[in-house]
Amino acid sequence: MKKITELLETRIAEAINEVSGVDAPALVRPAADAKFGDYQANGVMAAAKQVKTHPRQLAEKVVAAMDISDICQPPEVAGPGFINLRLTDGFLAERLLGMHRDAERLGIDRAEMPQTVVVDYSGPNIAKQMHVGHLRSTIIGDCIARLYDFSGHNVIRQNHIGDWGTQFGKVILALWHLCMARKVHKSPYYEDDLKAIDSNKENTNKLYEICVQIRNRHNEDYLNDQVEEFGDANKIFGPFLDKLDTIIDDVWPDILKAYQFVNLLDEILIGMDLSIITRQKGDDKWEPVEIPYENLTRKITAMLQIGGQDNQQEVDAWGLIREKTMQHCEDIYHDLNVTLEHPRDTRGESYYNPVLPDVVTTLKSKGLAVESEGAMCVFPEGFTNKDGQPLPFIIQKSDGAFLYATTDLAALRFRLDELKAERVIYVTDARQALHFQMLFAAAKMAGWVDERITLEHVTFGAMLGADGKPFKTRTGGTVKLKDLLDEAIERAKGVVETKNPDLPAEQKAAIAKAVGVGAVKYSDYANNRNSDYVFSFDKMLAMDGNTAPYMQYAYARIKSIERKAAGKDVDIAKELDGIAALPLAEPAEKDLAKLLVRYDQAIAAAMAECRPNYLTGYLYDLAQAFSRFYTACPVLTAEPQHRPARLLLCDLTARTIRHGLSELLGIEVVEQM
RNA sequence: GCGCUCGUAGCUCAGCAGGAUAGAGCAUCGGUUUCCUAAACCGAAGGUCAGAGGUUCGAGUCCUCUCGGGCGCGCCA
């Protein structure tokens, strides 16, 4: 079915054109206040301005010229020139029956012109657990993908994981430490070092002392690990890597700790002026070389990115780590009910690595990439730095390494050329806005993007703690997504336990999960994505207000009615099957009905601006209207002439809530709670 | 310095190409249960939409300036 606003829009715009001769949109909106009717057309006033006439008079003429009697009661002109519209009972009933007939899609049409849409979201990093910083991208992106999917577009999800770049070296180094800790020192020294560094962060002298010890041990272990030639690692590290695939599950938690250690060390070392021995290729063989300690991970990264036979072992280890990380992410996606599937939707930075040189050569040959201060840069128009100079989009560092700008260019080109994307939506936090502006500008300069293609950066703000500062654990660490979800589920479990203690344990656990995870997701969706928002378990798990539990509760109440029907000799299927007329006498019935027929519009609004909160706002209005209806209008005990209509309202409300929550937001509904 | 973004009730937030008297929830005060889940519903109170100009028949929304918060601005992602 066509959207009601669209139907009215077309008819009224025609009338405006007929009367005034201008092509002005009718601007049909749901009425600001129910007392003005159901919808209002605001476009006449603008049209009147164009033809320089009195808006009210023009509105009267438009009303006289238009024929919408099959949809609305006779319209009224109000205020400076609003046209107020009230649906006829017959039309409203017909819409509800239309939704009833097409129960799967609730009567909502697919897009007339399906597009291929790439949605880039989530993007976790390798060798790290997902943390709260990944939550918003993951679920907002997922909602956008689901919306486009439902509308009949060809959606290609892309999980652009961080599996290349500096982490590469860090992970290998973490593995190395893990290996030495186990094989040589027989103790997880990295854990002790981690603690020591943490507790001496303020004490520079002590910190330096610790780092010197770490460096000395590191050097010693490195020099000790060779069989034939310098630094061949064939004595200790090599054999360890060879059997890594058989022990990866066991050592995984330790790898993460060692990785944390390497990360922290990387930060701390800056400015300490400590050096470390590593190797570099001489004429023909490896030679020792001393480099600044803080450069070590970058050095390893650079070596490994060169690849080749020398590094095959490490590359394989890398692959293992990557798959292991993705397993963890998949678990989270499963818990979050997110539609990303590995490996189908995974194309990370490493995927584009082979074509990065070509990206640079191509841009060079087009004269777009030029050398500046040793780095290859594109200078898109209109971007300046603090000194008013053209701002570079750096695609190759002076040491020859590539950056995320290069990878993003390669990925964009791939999505346009190979995936045939007509729309590419990037879901990342707002801090990257400048990067994407420049990325899009550079791609356009390169001629990769024609006018039919839309590139979109969907931004979002930060998650804050109760203190208004970035959301962290009590000790200041990042909050792991897994822990966050577990706590939400645990809290929800407590509520279920007090409210409904008699349910079977298994069912209580399922409810707790649906409510807990749903609450976390919903509270994020319900905020305007651009604002930073304050994370609060108490608020998101409240039964009052715009929350997942409130919505789930409304759904559960309807399901409860359905369960009770049999006991009261009501055959719902039979009553709905033959339904033809819908006498909606009670105000609460009508209010609910009028909201039900607006679901399509809510979806369209949410999609147009990639704003899930338009959808949650609608669902909340709907659930509220249902709760009022539920209080005011008995269903099962209603008079026989009223009951089928009420059963239909219940059924459509349940379907709409379930569709909105479960299909579009990925939030589970429950039969009981 | 330039750019992006935000500033709406005591608190947390909505407000969908400018539209009628700016809305929720929490907190506060009051009411509703022999009846399908009261995890609910109804009502009261609460606002100079940061401030000042401007455009417009009409501005929380658009423009200019000011104040305040967050973020970004050459080799991290």
Side-chain angles (χ1 to χ4, degrees):
Chain A
M1 295 186 287
K2 269 202 143 175
K3 285 192 278 297
I4 295 173
T5 42
E6 256 173 48
L7 289 172
L8 293 168
E9 183 82 37
T10 313
R11 302 261 193 107
I12 299 173
E14 273 169 18
I16 293 174
N17 180 269
E18 190 184 319
V19 173
S20 69
V22 295
D23 264 327
L27 301 179
V28 177
R29 304 282 136 80
D33 191 316
K35 76 182 178 211
F36 299 132
D38 303 327
Y39 295 87
Q40 59 184 58
N42 301 333
V44 173
M45 290 168 284
K49 189 148 100 185
Q50 279 188 54
V51 291
K52 295 192 169 64
T53 182
H54 291 117
R56 252 199 99 101
Q57 284 174 11
L58 183 66
E60 298 287 357
K61 282 189 199 164
V62 170
V63 166
M66 70 194 186
D67 179 16
I68 53 169
S69 58
D70 53 331
I71 303 174
C72 295
Q73 298 169 29
E76 288 161 18
V77 174
F82 299 102
I83 299 177
N84 288 337
L85 306 158
R86 213 173 288 270
L87 301 179
T88 65
D89 291 349
F91 181 79
L92 185 59
E94 187 41 51
R95 294 296 289 199
L96 293 171
L97 291 172
M99 292 174 77
H100 175 58
R101 282 189 294 269
D102 179 19
E104 283 305 304
R105 293 187 60 83
L106 292 156
I108 299 171
D109 293 340
R110 289 187 169 78
E112 284 168 25
M113 308 263 288
Q115 284 189 315
T116 294
V117 182
V118 167
V119 187
D120 177 330
Y121 65 105
S122 196
N125 289 323
I126 234 57
K128 276 188 189 165
Q129 295 202 46
M130 287 185 79
H131 56 83
V132 292
H134 297 113
L135 178 68
R136 306 202 75 183
S137 172
T138 303
I139 68 174
I140 292 169
D142 200 53
C143 175
I144 293 168
R146 285 167 178 270
L147 282 167
Y148 272 89
D149 240 347
F150 175 67
S151 297
H153 295 283
N154 172 31
V155 176
I156 302 176
R157 292 162 174 80
Q158 290 287 279
N159 194 358
H160 193 78
I161 61 172
D163 62 353
W164 205 249
T166 49
Q167 300 98 306
F168 200 120
K170 287 185 192 176
V171 170
I172 297 298
L173 196 51
L175 276 176
W176 187 87
H177 280 295
L178 177 70
C179 168
M180 294 305 156
R182 296 204 162 196
K183 301 287 168 196
V184 180
H185 301 276
K186 316 286 185 198
S187 84
Y189 62 72
Y190 45 86
E191 284 187 47
D192 303 332
D193 291 347
L194 206 50
K195 278 184 208 138
I197 293 173
D198 254 340
S199 53
N200 287 292
K201 271 197 167 158
E202 310 304 322
N203 188 342
T204 8
N205 289 340
K206 180 77 182 157
L207 206 56
Y208 181 79
E209 214 174 284
I210 295 168
C211 289
V212 169
Q213 280 171 15
I214 293 172
R215 189 272 313 268
N216 291 346
R217 181 186 58 214
H218 191 149
N219 261 343
E220 201 175 308
D221 289 340
Y222 186 75
L223 294 172
N224 183 35
D225 184 15
Q226 67 179 68
V227 174
E228 283 164 8
E229 65 172 328
F230 176 75
D232 64 15
N234 282 339
K235 187 168 157 196
I236 305 169
F237 191 46
F240 175 81
L241 283 182
D242 284 341
K243 60 163 195 172
L244 182 61
D245 59 335
T246 63
I247 56 166
I248 181 123
D249 285 330
D250 301 331
V251 300
W252 184 246
D254 295 318
I255 294 177
L256 292 179
K257 278 184 208 136
Y259 184 69
Q260 227 182 316
F261 166 68
V262 172
N263 262 313
L264 185 59
L265 199 56
D266 242 30
E267 273 174 44
I268 299 292
L269 287 171
I270 293 169
M272 278 201 184
D273 203 22
L274 286 172
S275 61
I276 185 100
I277 295 171
T278 182
R279 61 177 191 170
Q280 69 178 14
K281 202 81 171 183
D283 290 338
D284 175 28
K285 60 183 173 71
W286 294 102
E287 291 166 354
V289 59
E290 216 164 309
I291 63 166
Y293 201 2
E294 69 261 34
N295 288 354
L296 183 60
T297 53
R298 276 192 293 276
K299 165 97 176 161
I300 297 174
T301 305
M303 284 165 62
L304 293 173
Q305 286 187 345
I306 291 162
Q309 276 189 333
D310 285 337
N311 306 309
Q312 190 54 46
Q313 217 173 24
E314 287 86 347
V315 171
D316 291 346
W318 169 250
L320 266 176
I321 300 282
R322 180 180 184 276
E323 286 313 305
K324 185 70 198 165
T325 308
M326 290 316 290
Q327 266 176 36
H328 157 78
C329 291
E330 273 203 291
D331 290 346
I332 299 273
Y333 294 149
H334 184 262
D335 287 347
L336 277 175
N337 204 357
V338 156
T339 56
L340 281 169
E341 269 178 44
H342 181 70
R344 183 194 68 190
D345 302 320
T346 307
R347 254 189 211 99
E349 293 171 346
S350 67
Y351 182 84
Y352 303 102
N353 186 54
V355 298
L356 298 183
D358 181 64
V359 168
V360 175
T361 351
T362 303
L363 293 176
K364 261 157 94 175
S365 70
K366 286 175 192 273
L368 298 174
V370 292
E371 201 185 309
S372 165
E373 295 175 31
M376 287 307 297
C377 307
V378 178
F379 291 90
E381 257 179 61
F383 297 91
T384 51
N385 66 12
K386 345 184 175 190
D387 308 318
Q389 301 301 309
L391 189 63
F393 192 57
I394 302 176
I395 58 174
Q396 188 170 23
K397 305 202 304 193
S398 46
D399 66 2
F402 302 110
L403 304 96
Y404 78 132
T406 334
T407 314
D408 275 347
L409 279 168
L412 179 51
R413 189 172 64 169
F414 175 81
R415 289 161 184 182
L416 297 172
D417 289 354
E418 306 298 325
L419 301 180
K420 310 289 181 200
E422 292 160 280
R423 178 182 287 266
V424 187
I425 300 173
Y426 292 85
V427 187
T428 81
D429 69 277
R431 288 176 305 187
Q432 298 187 47
L434 183 61
H435 167 72
F436 283 105
Q437 280 178 31
M438 296 185 79
L439 173 71
F440 297 164
K444 281 172 190 163
M445 285 166 77
W448 298 347
V449 189
D450 67 42
E451 311 73 47
R452 298 171 305 117
I453 291 168
T454 311
L455 304 178
E456 215 171 336
H457 180 208
V458 171
T459 58
F460 53 85
M463 261 170 75
L464 308 176
D467 56 359
K469 293 185 181 144
F471 191 63
K472 292 276 169 68
T473 59
R474 285 155 300 280
T475 53
T478 50
V479 179
K480 289 173 188 138
L481 210 35
K482 180 85 183 131
D483 296 346
L484 183 87
L485 295 177
D486 285 348
E487 179 163 359
I489 293 168
E490 202 50 45
R491 287 178 183 237
K493 198 174 215 160
V495 181
V496 180
E497 211 60 67
T498 55
K499 301 291 182 188
N500 230 333
D502 299 331
L503 291 174
E506 201 174 300
Q507 194 175 358
K508 279 190 282 198
I511 293 168
K513 190 178 175 205
V515 172
V517 175
V520 170
K521 291 184 71 172
Y522 192 93
S523 69
D524 198 316
Y525 284 141
N527 279 281
N528 181 328
R529 57 176 168 73
N530 274 324
S531 17
D532 296 345
Y533 88 100
V534 177
F535 186 91
S536 158
F537 279 120
D538 291 334
K539 289 210 170 72
M540 67 179 63
L541 285 165
M543 298 303 302
D544 302 309
N546 192 2
T547 66
Y550 180 85
M551 226 70 58
Q552 288 164 320
Y553 178 62
Y555 181 83
R557 282 173 133 187
I558 301 174
K559 292 291 137 180
S560 178
I561 292 176
E562 291 175 7
R563 278 194 303 277
K564 294 264 161 73
K568 303 207 175 184
D569 281 334
V570 177
D571 187 337
I572 297 179
K574 198 170 155 196
E575 295 207 19
L576 289 185
D577 199 31
I579 198 164
L582 287 174
L584 301 175
E586 291 294 321
E589 290 178 310
K590 279 202 167 178
D591 290 347
L592 179 56
K594 286 170 183 173
L595 266 169
L596 282 167
V597 300
R598 274 170 37 188
Y599 183 43
D600 51 4
Q601 218 232 334
I603 292 176
M607 244 177 91
E609 295 186 41
C610 294
R611 285 183 195 275
N613 67 312
Y614 288 172
L615 191 54
T616 58
Y618 166 82
L619 290 173
Y620 180 51
D621 288 344
L622 180 70
Q624 270 187 316
F626 173 77
S627 288
R628 290 186 193 116
F629 161 83
Y630 181 90
T631 307
C633 306
V635 178
L636 297 176
T637 55
E639 299 292 317
Q641 69 270 26
H642 290 304
R643 194 166 59 205
R646 289 185 182 173
L647 284 171
L648 182 67
L649 288 175
C650 285
D651 182 58
L652 290 179
T653 303
R655 284 179 190 281
T656 304
I657 290 177
R658 184 175 63 199
H659 188 269
L661 284 186
S662 151
E663 298 295 316
L664 298 181
L665 299 176
I667 294 171
E668 286 178 69
V669 291
V670 288
E671 303 288 309
Q672 275 177 275
M673 63 184 281

